[in-house]
Amino acid sequence: MSKIHTILEVKDLRVAYAGSGERVQAVNGLSFGVQEGECLGLVGETGAGKTTVALSVMGLLPERTSRIESGEIIFEGRDLLQCKKKEMQAIRGEKISMIFQDPMTSLNPVLTIGEQILEGLELHNEEKKSREELIARVHEMLELVGIPAARYHEYPHQFSGGMKQRVVIAMALACSPKLLIADEPTTALDVTIQAQVLDMMSQLRERLGMTMILITHDLGIVAEKCDTVATVYAGEIIEFGTVEDIFSGEAHHPYTKGLFDALPSLVSTERRLKSIEGLMPDPTDLPAGCKFHPRCPRCKPICREREPEPVQISQSHMIKCFLYAQGEEEMGSR
Amino acid sequence: MGKYIAKRILWLIPIVLGVSFIIFSIMYLKPGNPAQLILGSEATQEAIDQLSEEMGLNEPFFVQYFNYMKGLIRGDLGSSYRNGNSVSAEIAARFPVTLRLAAFSILLVCIIGIPIGIISAIRQYSVIDMVSVVLALVLASMPSFWIGLMLMLLFSVQLQLLPPTGADSWINYILPCLTLAAVNLAVVTRMTRSTMLEVIRQDYVRTARAKGAGEGRVVMKHCLKNGMIPVLTIVAIQFSKLIGGAVLVESVFAMPGLGSLLVTAIRSSDTPLIMGSVIVLAIIFTVINLVIDLLYAVIDPRIRAQFAK
């Protein structure tokens, strides 16, 4: 690649949901960037705000209940949050595609899978191709994801879960998007199918030179498929780095460390898995200071008062924790 | 598919048997002698006894029922006690009026109710939604005969635009159809709204949006077909009800329909006429249900797949 360039940049994004008098702060000043061609993993517990970030990028947040309070989402030099409805429709599916969590419910039960893949192509048919050409492209996409093209006229209920997810992937990739957001694409599938689908996705990604954001809570998948990793906690990115930084680096945010400790290990002989004490903070009533401090084993007085600033450990590795803050090294080395 | 239809049509046999048996029992247990009814209160006991014998009214219950069913199988519904006319002829004369009335009003309900329901769902809590809720509530809480009378007062008496009664030309149908549509509109509008609201929140609708589909396309292509099954069910139930039970409106507008025929028959204990009308209605209901079930299959491939088995 000639020059690395940032395809998507999210800056200080804040999203809140308003429901029945409560205000749920789902995303709180979250920033990250994705370089062209790489795969970014967004890791975090359920409710950390990962899906909300994805939906914000897609412009698909529920209109009535959600509100983007601040921030910018720069895609190819344009702020998506300033785009009009029509402009977003032109970008969605064409330049940015999304694969949703549950393939069982992501397909329309009354339309054939062929029609559903075709739809995206028809919507973004700038070159005014004929219907036959588009259908040929659908056949090509089906073969690409390992479904015989003859199944074009079948309905979603005639497919198994794994096959449905392949259809969803074919649908997302039909227009050769620049950026693909995959929101837990394999969570709803059983383990053997997971591996198949993931391998297929990374092969296709390499072949099509696509940038990908992979949302998951499975660290194994991240280690295998991603180039960079962002750990999300309570709507913030608390650690960001390359896979090497996260998986073999020395310094870690206590939360990331907790996530790794919660994984079963083949080497150690411990009989019980460690878990992170406590629960995710209530998003309607977030703690002051560092949002992780009530659960943090290395919590200090300052953590309760002030929000930590991002600290660059190395050029690629960022941690948002007072343990590594400048001028307070004595605390970090303790 | 053909096998399924044949099976459903065969189901008509037990349905007709059951319905006829129940009605026949009720009429048999009812006090009062039909012979007396036919001859009037002035008749002598002798004449009544003679006619009872001729009509087979002295036979045991099951023999009477069997004789009636024998006639039914041959397509003979008997003749009315009151005027001796053939029951089939009476029904044939009344049925077209009722069918037209029911069909036009249900058409009106669909044309007005479904689009309003869809708009209410897309623009939930908007002014249109609020107005449609209130309007539906008001219309649904007014009794049909009262709406009928008010319409008649306005259009026939005050404005003198439309004829108040009769069934001679299509103009006569306007007011009764409007009345029936007004009464049934609320249910269809609310049903459409609630199913559409449910469908709009489905994951596959979000998928469609993620493909870049605009609002109109999302509604027309992805939501409508999925949301139509419950609406279709409600419309079918209403249509069946209109065919059998538009009595009030029929009598307000003096329309000679099936409903008013049945009511007169019941009032005068005219057993053959009651039996004939109810059996015909039962058959019509069954056929409507069959048609609706087939329409489900047209809409939803999952139901279609079950039929193919």
Side-chain angles (χ1 to χ4, degrees):
Chain A
M1 211 171 285
S2 55
K3 195 175 142 225
I4 310 160
H5 101 271
T6 308
I7 186 164
L8 178 81
E9 196 170 10
V10 175
K11 287 184 194 162
D12 193 36
L13 184 70
R14 283 174 199 275
V15 184
Y17 292 103
S20 62
E22 281 177 337
R23 201 166 139 271
V24 178
Q25 288 171 272
V27 178
N28 306 297
L30 181 143
S31 308
F32 67 87
V34 194
Q35 312 302 323
E36 189 161 6
E38 75 172 10
C39 177
L40 166 74
L42 282 183
V43 200
E45 279 170 88
T46 318
K50 298 169 300 203
T51 303
T52 306
V53 173
L55 291 177
S56 308
V57 174
M58 291 295 286
L60 285 177
L61 283 169
E63 272 176 39
R64 291 186 50 81
T65 51
S66 67
R67 209 158 64 90
I68 295 179
E69 299 186 318
S70 72
E72 287 172 41
I73 297 174
I74 313 285
F75 174 75
E76 293 189 324
R78 260 208 305 189
D79 185 358
L80 296 184
L81 297 180
Q82 305 301 325
C83 280
K84 294 199 185 67
K85 261 190 172 175
K86 282 258 176 270
E87 295 171 322
M88 269 320 282
Q89 277 169 21
I91 293 171
R92 271 204 292 269
E94 155 97 277
K95 298 210 161 102
I96 309 178
S97 269
M98 185 160 172
I99 296 172
F100 294 99
Q101 199 163 2
D102 190 353
M104 303 300 169
T105 55
S106 308
L107 292 171
N108 191 332
V110 301
L111 299 176
T112 66
I113 58 138
E115 284 174 297
Q116 295 190 54
I117 300 172
L118 184 67
E119 187 177 18
L121 292 166
E122 280 176 344
L123 286 166
H124 303 289
N125 189 10
E126 271 97 44
E127 289 154 42
K128 301 265 175 279
K129 285 185 190 156
S130 69
R131 202 179 150 80
E132 284 67 38
E133 283 176 273
L134 294 182
I135 290 175
R137 169 77 178 155
V138 175
H139 287 185
E140 189 190 322
M141 285 315 295
L142 282 173
E143 297 284 356
L144 199 64
V145 296
I147 296 174
R151 300 191 71 178
Y152 181 98
H153 293 289
E154 289 184 21
Y155 289 94
H157 71 268
Q158 291 163 290
F159 289 82
S160 66
M163 289 301 249
K164 273 187 205 164
Q165 195 60 307
R166 286 164 190 258
V167 174
V168 172
I169 292 169
M171 214 154 76
L173 299 186
C175 291
S176 314
K178 293 249 170 65
L179 175 66
L180 176 70
I181 304 174
D183 185 2
E184 310 211 16
T186 55
T187 309
L189 306 176
D190 60 62
V191 184
T192 45
I193 309 295
Q194 273 188 18
Q196 273 182 25
V197 169
L198 279 171
D199 286 341
M200 191 189 78
M201 278 175 67
S202 44
Q203 274 171 27
L204 290 176
R205 189 173 75 83
E206 267 164 42
R207 235 164 92 183
L208 306 172
M210 212 166 31
T211 314
M212 184 154 98
I213 298 178
L214 182 65
I215 298 175
T216 180
H217 51 243
D218 188 332
L219 288 168
I221 293 175
V222 172
E224 235 178 284
K225 307 292 173 202
C226 296
D227 305 312
T228 47
V229 186
T231 313
V232 186
Y233 186 80
E236 271 180 58
I237 288 179
I238 51 160
E239 184 164 355
F240 187 95
T242 60
V243 179
E244 292 76 28
D245 291 333
I246 303 290
F247 282 83
S248 34
E250 287 296 309
H252 283 305
H253 191 284
Y255 177 66
T256 316
K257 198 169 172 314
L259 283 183
F260 277 99
D261 286 345
L263 290 178
S265 163
L266 289 176
V267 219
S268 78
T269 50
E270 273 179 88
R271 307 193 43 163
R272 305 198 78 189
L273 291 177
K274 275 192 214 140
S275 65
I276 306 174
E277 294 285 319
L279 292 169
M280 280 276 284
D282 179 1
T284 59
D285 182 23
L286 290 172
C290 171
K291 292 180 183 66
F292 186 61
H293 86 253
R295 301 170 75 183
C296 185
R298 302 177 68 181
C299 175
K300 276 170 283 296
I302 190 171
C303 303
R304 297 197 181 89
E305 286 152 24
R306 274 178 33 209
E307 238 183 273
E309 291 296 314
V311 181
Q312 287 305 137
I313 301 294
S314 69
Q315 212 198 337
S316 59
H317 194 180
M318 181 282 284
I319 299 176
K320 219 173 175 181
C321 181
F322 283 117
L323 287 175
Y324 308 99
Q326 298 273 311
E328 281 159 308
E329 277 117 350
E330 74 282 0
M331 291 207 289
S333 57
R334 201 167 61 179
Chain B
M1 196 71 146
K3 208 170 143 197
Y4 175 80
I5 298 172
K7 214 156 69 185
R8 285 291 295 268
I9 288 172
L10 279 181
W11 260 104
L12 272 173
I13 296 170
I15 289 169
V16 168
L17 272 176
V19 166
S20 62
F21 185 77
I22 292 168
I23 305 291
F24 203 84
S25 315
I26 294 171
M27 295 314 291
Y28 181 82
L29 294 171
K30 203 174 77 65
N33 186 339
Q36 168 101 57
L37 209 83
I38 294 166
L39 295 170
S41 51
E42 306 289 297
T44 60
Q45 189 60 41
E46 216 170 85
I48 293 173
D49 287 345
Q50 200 195 339
L51 188 64
S52 300
E53 191 59 43
E54 274 171 33
M55 288 169 69
L57 294 173
N58 297 332
E59 306 275 354
F61 170 75
F62 281 103
V63 176
Q64 284 189 40
Y65 178 64
F66 183 73
N67 284 336
Y68 180 81
M69 291 312 284
K70 236 167 47 186
L72 186 65
I73 289 165
R74 287 197 311 268
D76 178 13
L77 291 170
S79 48
S80 162
Y81 285 168
R82 260 161 49 89
N83 50 20
N85 288 349
S86 137
V87 168
S88 345
E90 287 267 357
I91 293 173
R94 302 291 195 108
F95 184 63
V97 175
T98 295
L99 187 66
R100 262 175 244 150
L101 208 55
F104 288 139
S105 22
I106 224 61
L107 199 69
L108 214 56
V109 166
C110 293
I111 293 174
I112 304 170
I114 295 175
I116 292 182
I118 294 171
I119 295 168
S120 288
I122 303 170
R123 305 255 172 279
Q124 199 188 357
Y125 305 127
S126 68
V127 178
I128 297 176
D129 187 25
M130 300 291 183
V131 169
S132 89
V133 173
V134 173
L135 203 69
L137 208 68
V138 168
L139 287 178
S141 6
M142 289 194 285
S144 59
F145 66 88
W146 188 80
I147 298 182
L149 286 171
M150 290 301 121
L151 284 175
M152 207 192 273
L153 266 179
L154 180 64
F155 289 101
S156 307
V157 182
Q158 293 287 328
L159 303 173
Q160 309 226 326
L161 285 173
L162 298 163
T165 56
D168 307 319
S169 81
W170 64 270
I171 298 177
N172 292 88
Y173 285 90
I174 297 177
L175 287 182
C177 285
L178 277 178
T179 310
L180 289 173
V183 177
N184 290 298
L185 192 62
V187 183
V188 170
T189 312
R190 301 324 284 162
M191 191 55 149
T192 310
R193 179 182 182 268
S194 64
T195 54
M196 286 302 276
L197 277 177
E198 205 175 290
V199 171
I200 282 173
R201 297 201 179 107
Q202 295 293 319
D203 283 354
Y204 54 79
V205 173
R206 192 177 55 181
T207 312
R209 292 215 172 93
K211 275 188 270 187
E215 203 57 33
R217 191 188 178 98
V218 165
V219 171
M220 298 313 287
K221 193 169 173 189
H222 293 271
C223 298
L224 211 51
K225 235 177 156 188
N226 280 292
M228 273 307 105
I229 283 189
V231 178
L232 198 64
T233 313
I234 286 288
V235 168
I237 292 171
Q238 287 188 327
F239 185 63
S240 307
K241 258 167 63 185
L242 283 179
I243 285 195
V247 187
L248 284 176
V249 173
E250 278 178 13
S251 47
V252 166
F253 292 98
M255 307 280 284
L258 213 51
S260 49
L261 178 74
L262 187 55
V263 169
T264 354
I266 293 170
R267 213 174 279 149
S268 54
S269 295
D270 197 338
T271 308
L273 201 50
I274 297 173
M275 291 287 291
S277 315
V278 173
I279 289 171
V280 167
L281 285 176
I283 294 172
I284 293 170
F285 286 0
T286 318
V287 172
I288 291 174
N289 271 313
L290 173 61
V291 171
I292 294 300
D293 280 356
L294 295 178
L295 279 179
Y296 288 168
V298 172
I299 294 176
D300 195 327
R302 287 166 296 181
I303 299 174
R304 198 148 66 227
Q306 280 171 4
F307 282 163
K309 271 177 200 161

PDB file of all heavy atoms in Angstrom, chain A residues 170-192:
ATOM      1  N   ALA A 170     -23.301 -11.981   1.956  1.00  0.00           N
ATOM      2  CA  ALA A 170     -23.375 -11.719   0.517  1.00  0.00           C
ATOM      3  C   ALA A 170     -24.101 -10.401   0.265  1.00  0.00           C
ATOM      4  O   ALA A 170     -23.709  -9.600  -0.590  1.00  0.00           O
ATOM      5  CB  ALA A 170     -24.111 -12.859  -0.181  1.00  0.00           C
ATOM      6  N   MET A 171     -25.138 -10.172   1.055  1.00  0.00           N
ATOM      7  CA  MET A 171     -25.926  -8.957   0.918  1.00  0.00           C
ATOM      8  C   MET A 171     -25.078  -7.732   1.238  1.00  0.00           C
ATOM      9  O   MET A 171     -25.126  -6.721   0.543  1.00  0.00           O
ATOM     10  CB  MET A 171     -27.079  -9.043   1.915  1.00  0.00           C
ATOM     11  CG  MET A 171     -28.345  -8.437   1.477  1.00  0.00           C
ATOM     12  SD  MET A 171     -29.708  -9.248   2.327  1.00  0.00           S
ATOM     13  CE  MET A 171     -29.589  -8.529   3.914  1.00  0.00           C
ATOM     14  N   ALA A 172     -24.292  -7.855   2.313  1.00  0.00           N
ATOM     15  CA  ALA A 172     -23.476  -6.722   2.748  1.00  0.00           C
ATOM     16  C   ALA A 172     -22.343  -6.436   1.770  1.00  0.00           C
ATOM     17  O   ALA A 172     -21.931  -5.293   1.605  1.00  0.00           O
ATOM     18  CB  ALA A 172     -22.921  -6.982   4.141  1.00  0.00           C
ATOM     19  N   LEU A 173     -21.848  -7.489   1.121  1.00  0.00           N
ATOM     20  CA  LEU A 173     -20.687  -7.305   0.262  1.00  0.00           C
ATOM     21  C   LEU A 173     -21.047  -7.050  -1.193  1.00  0.00           C
ATOM     22  O   LEU A 173     -20.178  -6.755  -2.011  1.00  0.00           O
ATOM     23  CB  LEU A 173     -19.769  -8.537   0.333  1.00  0.00           C
ATOM     24  CG  LEU A 173     -19.203  -8.858   1.720  1.00  0.00           C
ATOM     25  CD1 LEU A 173     -18.207  -9.997   1.627  1.00  0.00           C
ATOM     26  CD2 LEU A 173     -18.545  -7.645   2.334  1.00  0.00           C
ATOM     27  N   ALA A 174     -22.342  -7.181  -1.536  1.00  0.00           N
ATOM     28  CA  ALA A 174     -22.746  -7.133  -2.944  1.00  0.00           C
ATOM     29  C   ALA A 174     -22.250  -5.878  -3.649  1.00  0.00           C
ATOM     30  O   ALA A 174     -21.835  -5.925  -4.800  1.00  0.00           O
ATOM     31  CB  ALA A 174     -24.271  -7.237  -3.041  1.00  0.00           C
ATOM     32  N   CYS A 175     -22.281  -4.749  -2.970  1.00  0.00           N
ATOM     33  CA  CYS A 175     -21.883  -3.497  -3.617  1.00  0.00           C
ATOM     34  C   CYS A 175     -20.400  -3.194  -3.424  1.00  0.00           C
ATOM     35  O   CYS A 175     -19.966  -2.064  -3.677  1.00  0.00           O
ATOM     36  CB  CYS A 175     -22.704  -2.340  -3.072  1.00  0.00           C
ATOM     37  SG  CYS A 175     -24.415  -2.404  -3.545  1.00  0.00           S
ATOM     38  N   SER A 176     -19.620  -4.176  -2.973  1.00  0.00           N
ATOM     39  CA  SER A 176     -18.201  -3.979  -2.668  1.00  0.00           C
ATOM     40  C   SER A 176     -17.984  -2.731  -1.820  1.00  0.00           C
ATOM     41  O   SER A 176     -17.390  -1.753  -2.271  1.00  0.00           O
ATOM     42  CB  SER A 176     -17.356  -3.844  -3.931  1.00  0.00           C
ATOM     43  OG  SER A 176     -17.700  -4.821  -4.844  1.00  0.00           O
ATOM     44  N   PRO A 177     -18.440  -2.740  -0.586  1.00  0.00           N
ATOM     45  CA  PRO A 177     -18.303  -1.549   0.249  1.00  0.00           C
ATOM     46  C   PRO A 177     -16.849  -1.311   0.641  1.00  0.00           C
ATOM     47  O   PRO A 177     -16.043  -2.241   0.639  1.00  0.00           O
ATOM     48  CB  PRO A 177     -19.134  -1.890   1.488  1.00  0.00           C
ATOM     49  CG  PRO A 177     -19.112  -3.368   1.559  1.00  0.00           C
ATOM     50  CD  PRO A 177     -19.069  -3.856   0.144  1.00  0.00           C
ATOM     51  N   LYS A 178     -16.530  -0.078   0.962  1.00  0.00           N
ATOM     52  CA  LYS A 178     -15.188   0.259   1.434  1.00  0.00           C
ATOM     53  C   LYS A 178     -15.015  -0.209   2.863  1.00  0.00           C
ATOM     54  O   LYS A 178     -13.949  -0.631   3.268  1.00  0.00           O
ATOM     55  CB  LYS A 178     -15.001   1.788   1.395  1.00  0.00           C
ATOM     56  CG  LYS A 178     -14.992   2.362   0.004  1.00  0.00           C
ATOM     57  CD  LYS A 178     -13.583   2.850  -0.315  1.00  0.00           C
ATOM     58  CE  LYS A 178     -13.422   3.222  -1.765  1.00  0.00           C
ATOM     59  NZ  LYS A 178     -14.247   4.363  -2.162  1.00  0.00           N
ATOM     60  N   LEU A 179     -16.097  -0.049   3.633  1.00  0.00           N
ATOM     61  CA  LEU A 179     -16.031  -0.360   5.055  1.00  0.00           C
ATOM     62  C   LEU A 179     -17.162  -1.313   5.415  1.00  0.00           C
ATOM     63  O   LEU A 179     -18.306  -1.112   5.028  1.00  0.00           O
ATOM     64  CB  LEU A 179     -16.184   0.939   5.866  1.00  0.00           C
ATOM     65  CG  LEU A 179     -16.266   0.812   7.386  1.00  0.00           C
ATOM     66  CD1 LEU A 179     -14.962   0.305   7.958  1.00  0.00           C
ATOM     67  CD2 LEU A 179     -16.635   2.148   8.015  1.00  0.00           C
ATOM     68  N   LEU A 180     -16.781  -2.368   6.133  1.00  0.00           N
ATOM     69  CA  LEU A 180     -17.788  -3.321   6.580  1.00  0.00           C
ATOM     70  C   LEU A 180     -17.809  -3.334   8.104  1.00  0.00           C
ATOM     71  O   LEU A 180     -16.770  -3.489   8.737  1.00  0.00           O
ATOM     72  CB  LEU A 180     -17.467  -4.722   6.053  1.00  0.00           C
ATOM     73  CG  LEU A 180     -18.396  -5.830   6.519  1.00  0.00           C
ATOM     74  CD1 LEU A 180     -19.769  -5.687   5.888  1.00  0.00           C
ATOM     75  CD2 LEU A 180     -17.819  -7.196   6.181  1.00  0.00           C
ATOM     76  N   ILE A 181     -18.982  -3.141   8.674  1.00  0.00           N
ATOM     77  CA  ILE A 181     -19.112  -3.230  10.126  1.00  0.00           C
ATOM     78  C   ILE A 181     -19.807  -4.543  10.428  1.00  0.00           C
ATOM     79  O   ILE A 181     -20.919  -4.788   9.955  1.00  0.00           O
ATOM     80  CB  ILE A 181     -19.946  -2.064  10.691  1.00  0.00           C
ATOM     81  CG1 ILE A 181     -19.333  -0.727  10.257  1.00  0.00           C
ATOM     82  CG2 ILE A 181     -20.024  -2.156  12.202  1.00  0.00           C
ATOM     83  CD1 ILE A 181     -20.162   0.469  10.637  1.00  0.00           C
ATOM     84  N   ALA A 182     -19.126  -5.409  11.168  1.00  0.00           N
ATOM     85  CA  ALA A 182     -19.721  -6.698  11.500  1.00  0.00           C
ATOM     86  C   ALA A 182     -20.007  -6.713  12.996  1.00  0.00           C
ATOM     87  O   ALA A 182     -19.096  -6.713  13.808  1.00  0.00           O
ATOM     88  CB  ALA A 182     -18.783  -7.826  11.113  1.00  0.00           C
ATOM     89  N   ASP A 183     -21.284  -6.690  13.336  1.00  0.00           N
ATOM     90  CA  ASP A 183     -21.668  -6.637  14.749  1.00  0.00           C
ATOM     91  C   ASP A 183     -21.915  -8.050  15.266  1.00  0.00           C
ATOM     92  O   ASP A 183     -22.959  -8.625  15.023  1.00  0.00           O
ATOM     93  CB  ASP A 183     -22.929  -5.784  14.891  1.00  0.00           C
ATOM     94  CG  ASP A 183     -23.327  -5.574  16.342  1.00  0.00           C
ATOM     95  OD1 ASP A 183     -22.598  -6.058  17.226  1.00  0.00           O
ATOM     96  OD2 ASP A 183     -24.361  -4.934  16.579  1.00  0.00           O
ATOM     97  N   GLU A 184     -20.955  -8.586  15.980  1.00  0.00           N
ATOM     98  CA  GLU A 184     -21.014  -9.947  16.499  1.00  0.00           C
ATOM     99  C   GLU A 184     -21.561 -10.903  15.442  1.00  0.00           C
ATOM    100  O   GLU A 184     -22.599 -11.535  15.650  1.00  0.00           O
ATOM    101  CB  GLU A 184     -21.886  -9.991  17.758  1.00  0.00           C
ATOM    102  CG  GLU A 184     -21.474  -8.914  18.747  1.00  0.00           C
ATOM    103  CD  GLU A 184     -21.706  -9.306  20.193  1.00  0.00           C
ATOM    104  OE1 GLU A 184     -21.895 -10.503  20.449  1.00  0.00           O
ATOM    105  OE2 GLU A 184     -21.645  -8.416  21.052  1.00  0.00           O
ATOM    106  N   PRO A 185     -20.868 -11.021  14.317  1.00  0.00           N
ATOM    107  CA  PRO A 185     -21.439 -11.777  13.201  1.00  0.00           C
ATOM    108  C   PRO A 185     -21.584 -13.267  13.488  1.00  0.00           C
ATOM    109  O   PRO A 185     -22.312 -13.951  12.790  1.00  0.00           O
ATOM    110  CB  PRO A 185     -20.439 -11.543  12.066  1.00  0.00           C
ATOM    111  CG  PRO A 185     -19.164 -11.233  12.746  1.00  0.00           C
ATOM    112  CD  PRO A 185     -19.528 -10.514  14.003  1.00  0.00           C
ATOM    113  N   THR A 186     -20.892 -13.758  14.507  1.00  0.00           N
ATOM    114  CA  THR A 186     -20.936 -15.204  14.717  1.00  0.00           C
ATOM    115  C   THR A 186     -21.522 -15.592  16.064  1.00  0.00           C
ATOM    116  O   THR A 186     -21.582 -16.765  16.392  1.00  0.00           O
ATOM    117  CB  THR A 186     -19.515 -15.792  14.612  1.00  0.00           C
ATOM    118  OG1 THR A 186     -18.679 -15.092  15.534  1.00  0.00           O
ATOM    119  CG2 THR A 186     -18.960 -15.660  13.236  1.00  0.00           C
ATOM    120  N   THR A 187     -21.980 -14.616  16.826  1.00  0.00           N
ATOM    121  CA  THR A 187     -22.480 -14.918  18.176  1.00  0.00           C
ATOM    122  C   THR A 187     -23.664 -15.881  18.143  1.00  0.00           C
ATOM    123  O   THR A 187     -23.801 -16.739  19.004  1.00  0.00           O
ATOM    124  CB  THR A 187     -22.908 -13.619  18.877  1.00  0.00           C
ATOM    125  OG1 THR A 187     -21.840 -12.698  18.759  1.00  0.00           O
ATOM    126  CG2 THR A 187     -23.199 -13.848  20.339  1.00  0.00           C
ATOM    127  N   ALA A 188     -24.515 -15.727  17.123  1.00  0.00           N
ATOM    128  CA  ALA A 188     -25.721 -16.548  17.078  1.00  0.00           C
ATOM    129  C   ALA A 188     -25.475 -17.918  16.441  1.00  0.00           C
ATOM    130  O   ALA A 188     -26.390 -18.708  16.312  1.00  0.00           O
ATOM    131  CB  ALA A 188     -26.816 -15.806  16.323  1.00  0.00           C
ATOM    132  N   LEU A 189     -24.234 -18.173  16.029  1.00  0.00           N
ATOM    133  CA  LEU A 189     -23.964 -19.430  15.331  1.00  0.00           C
ATOM    134  C   LEU A 189     -23.228 -20.403  16.241  1.00  0.00           C
ATOM    135  O   LEU A 189     -22.566 -19.999  17.196  1.00  0.00           O
ATOM    136  CB  LEU A 189     -23.093 -19.160  14.097  1.00  0.00           C
ATOM    137  CG  LEU A 189     -23.629 -18.112  13.136  1.00  0.00           C
ATOM    138  CD1 LEU A 189     -22.634 -17.876  12.022  1.00  0.00           C
ATOM    139  CD2 LEU A 189     -24.971 -18.533  12.570  1.00  0.00           C
ATOM    140  N   ASP A 190     -23.329 -21.704  15.947  1.00  0.00           N
ATOM    141  CA  ASP A 190     -22.591 -22.622  16.803  1.00  0.00           C
ATOM    142  C   ASP A 190     -21.122 -22.666  16.382  1.00  0.00           C
ATOM    143  O   ASP A 190     -20.735 -22.244  15.293  1.00  0.00           O
ATOM    144  CB  ASP A 190     -23.248 -24.000  16.883  1.00  0.00           C
ATOM    145  CG  ASP A 190     -23.359 -24.671  15.552  1.00  0.00           C
ATOM    146  OD1 ASP A 190     -22.307 -24.930  14.953  1.00  0.00           O
ATOM    147  OD2 ASP A 190     -24.497 -24.920  15.106  1.00  0.00           O
ATOM    148  N   VAL A 191     -20.285 -23.190  17.284  1.00  0.00           N
ATOM    149  CA  VAL A 191     -18.845 -22.973  17.194  1.00  0.00           C
ATOM    150  C   VAL A 191     -18.225 -23.438  15.870  1.00  0.00           C
ATOM    151  O   VAL A 191     -17.404 -22.745  15.284  1.00  0.00           O
ATOM    152  CB  VAL A 191     -18.150 -23.670  18.382  1.00  0.00           C
ATOM    153  CG1 VAL A 191     -16.666 -23.383  18.361  1.00  0.00           C
ATOM    154  CG2 VAL A 191     -18.763 -23.195  19.671  1.00  0.00           C
ATOM    155  N   THR A 192     -18.640 -24.584  15.369  1.00  0.00           N
ATOM    156  CA  THR A 192     -18.041 -25.084  14.125  1.00  0.00           C
ATOM    157  C   THR A 192     -18.352 -24.153  12.959  1.00  0.00           C
ATOM    158  O   THR A 192     -17.512 -23.897  12.103  1.00  0.00           O
ATOM    159  CB  THR A 192     -18.568 -26.488  13.799  1.00  0.00           C
ATOM    160  OG1 THR A 192     -19.974 -26.486  14.004  1.00  0.00           O
ATOM    161  CG2 THR A 192     -17.913 -27.527  14.668  1.00  0.00           C
TER     162      THR A 192
END
